Amino acid sequence: MNGYFDYNATTPLLPVAQEAWIEASAKHWHNASGLYREGGFTRRKLEEARERLGERLGCEPERIVFTSGATESNNALFHSLALSHAGSTVLSSAIEHPSVREPLQAAFAQRTELLSTQSSGCVDLDDLAEKLKKAPRALVTTMAANNECGALQPWREMLALCRNAGVPFHTDASQWIGKLSAQELGECDYITGSGHKFGGPKGIGFLVMKNENEALRFMRGGPQEEGRRAGTENYPSVEAMVTALEGLTPQLSGIASTQSSYRQQFIAALREQLGAVRVIAEESERLWNTVMFVTPRHDNRKWLARLSQRGFQVSNGSACSALKDGSSTVLAALGASPDDMRQVLRVSSGWSTELSDWLALAQAMKQVLNELDQ
Ligand code: PLP
């Protein structure tokens, strides 16, 4: 049995990624900026990996800057844009990950405006159209898929509205990439991605920039990444991240339909065994692996501990968005009450989670409820 249901937090290394990392580390560990032959080999492999990633994202490889992950990509972008767009404002949403929310606040402070979110968990397009009328806007930034409830955001429509208004559009696609096709994402002006969300190593990610030679002024130091990101290039992790994405991509549509059917069967089993269970953003299109729901009763930390004792790892979903009182800004934007927030659980599966794993989790939840009710 595989009881790991916290893939939205992080994923295990895919075997192909692990192999790629070991080989790259053994053969091409040299400095990619070194002027000797071995450095040149590493540089060539790094640039090939950039091209392969560009193919998966549908963007020119020169737009890609490798970073340490999504948090760095988001910080770098907002910090850099704030320097070049003094006086302009940014539109964002209330359901963003803190790695968007916090640096945006630091870089743009009062110059950030939030778009409203519908109870379906999606950003309101009418509100965006209205707010785009007010200039000057430096950027619109919204995620592609929500990490908590899994709601897919209408990023294609948002991009179209931004194009019309002449405003650049950034999407944090950390939860989208590796679960759904990333091929069209390259049309966005800026994209954030993170390797460990799709079977790659931790500590590696990327930021796709609008232009090939656009400056990124955040990590200062050496001239790596065309002067856009200082620090010795992490070729083995880049290789492993790109290999992971290449390994997953051809299987994605099959996995999506199998896994969403498993998830539906899990929700049905849960309702059969626990009674009324409210799924957050149930009516909207969601990531195939994610279900966030309000348990019938009891504090979610008790659920987590008891499920963990039985070999299941799930999340209360708020680790990344908890306020000081334990409530979640994302759930608040979706209309959840403080009681809901205390009882909510997030379950997120992987690419090879079996139906029997899902059903075993539903069964364990029934046992936990009985135990907690006593
Ligand atoms: N953005 C989103 C939407 C996420 O879900 C996460 C991780 O939970 C991050 C950013 C942070 O990613 P990283 O660990 O690569 O910094």
Side-chain angles (χ1 to χ4, degrees):
M1 191 220 27
N2 180 4
Y4 186 68
F5 281 94
D6 199 14
Y7 278 79
N8 284 9
T10 195
T11 63
L13 257 190
L14 287 174
V16 283
Q18 190 171 1
E19 273 170 40
W21 191 90
I22 290 171
E23 189 180 328
S25 295
K27 289 194 188 154
H28 300 294
W29 51 268
H30 306 86
N31 181 8
S33 300
L35 296 179
Y36 35 80
R37 204 168 54 143
E38 291 80 359
F41 290 153
T42 308
R43 154 80 43 209
R44 211 166 313 141
K45 298 293 285 181
L46 180 70
E47 294 316 319
E48 276 169 23
R50 201 186 306 274
E51 278 169 28
R52 285 156 50 206
L53 181 59
E55 270 168 40
R56 294 291 159 207
L57 297 174
C59 75
E60 297 76 14
E62 296 80 5
R63 290 174 58 202
I64 300 171
V65 179
F66 291 118
T67 66
S68 66
T71 300
E72 182 190 321
S73 298
N74 293 336
N75 272 271
L77 178 64
F78 304 141
H79 182 82
S80 199
L81 286 184
L83 294 175
S84 55
H85 288 73
S88 299
T89 54
V90 173
L91 289 176
S92 186
S93 84
I95 58 165
E96 296 305 310
H97 189 268
S99 65
V100 164
R101 236 176 23 238
E102 296 292 329
L104 207 51
Q105 178 63 25
F108 284 87
Q110 282 89 344
R111 292 187 286 131
T112 305
E113 249 185 273
L114 291 187
L115 298 162
S116 41
T117 310
Q118 296 165 323
S119 58
S120 62
C122 294
V123 171
D124 186 336
L125 288 171
D126 292 338
D127 192 39
L128 172 61
E130 198 51 41
K131 289 200 165 89
L132 277 171
K133 288 179 188 158
K134 216 164 92 190
R137 301 282 189 201
L139 186 76
V140 172
T141 172
T142 62
M143 60 193 358
N146 183 263
N147 49 302
E148 296 202 19
C149 65
L152 304 185
Q153 300 303 311
W155 59 265
R156 293 181 187 82
E157 291 81 356
M158 289 193 257
L159 171 63
L161 287 170
C162 289
R163 277 280 140 78
N164 274 343
V167 176
F169 177 72
H170 166 244
T171 192
D172 178 341
S174 301
Q175 296 291 347
W176 180 289
I177 298 169
K179 299 192 186 103
L180 297 165
S181 168
Q183 196 66 50
E184 293 168 45
L185 278 173
E187 286 168 30
C188 298
D189 298 300
Y190 300 96
I191 313 162
T192 288
S194 173
H196 75 102
K197 301 291 186 188
F198 53 84
K202 293 175 199 10
I204 189 75
F206 54 89
L207 175 65
V208 176
M209 304 286 290
K210 187 166 186 281
N211 298 313
E212 296 175 9
N213 41 21
E214 187 176 352
L216 189 60
R217 287 175 285 174
F218 182 62
M219 293 287 265
R220 292 164 191 269
Q224 291 90 351
E225 295 290 283
E226 305 293 324
R228 300 198 279 191
R229 200 276 184 178
T232 303
E233 297 90 339
N234 187 355
Y235 163 65
S237 294
V238 167
E239 180 63 43
M241 169 174 71
V242 176
T243 303
L245 190 56
E246 288 174 335
L248 288 174
T249 305
Q251 311 170 45
L252 283 183
S253 61
I255 291 175
S257 71
T258 314
Q259 287 290 334
S260 37
S261 126
Y262 291 172
R263 182 188 57 183
Q264 278 322 105
Q265 293 179 65
F266 166 74
I267 295 171
L270 213 54
R271 287 182 167 144
E272 211 176 286
Q273 315 219 23
L274 306 191
V277 167
R278 185 153 65 80
V279 173
I280 308 284
E282 187 165 18
E283 69 279 22
S284 62
E285 242 192 296
R286 283 170 292 134
L287 290 171
W288 49 258
N289 76 325
T290 309
V291 54
M292 186 174 224
F293 55 93
V294 184
T295 61
R297 49 197 171 272
H298 304 297
D299 189 302
N300 48 22
R301 286 165 302 182
K302 291 188 181 161
W303 280 97
L304 290 188
R306 295 238 177 7
L307 285 169
S308 171
Q309 282 165 2
R310 288 171 167 78
F312 293 94
Q313 297 88 37
V314 304
S315 156
N316 60 3
S318 64
C320 281
S321 63
L323 299 174
K324 284 203 180 71
D325 63 359
S327 63
S328 150
T329 48
V330 173
L331 286 172
L334 300 179
S337 69
D339 278 345
D340 291 342
M341 294 181 202
R342 275 189 288 278
Q343 287 173 212
V344 88
L345 290 179
R346 178 189 71 184
V347 170
S348 52
S349 72
W351 299 271
S352 51
T353 305
E354 300 282 353
L355 178 60
S356 54
D357 301 324
W358 281 102
L359 297 180
L361 174 60
Q363 188 60 37
M365 291 204 55
K366 166 81 177 155
Q367 292 164 3
V368 169
L369 184 62
N370 288 342
E371 204 174 286
L372 290 173
D373 276 347
Q374 271 157 31

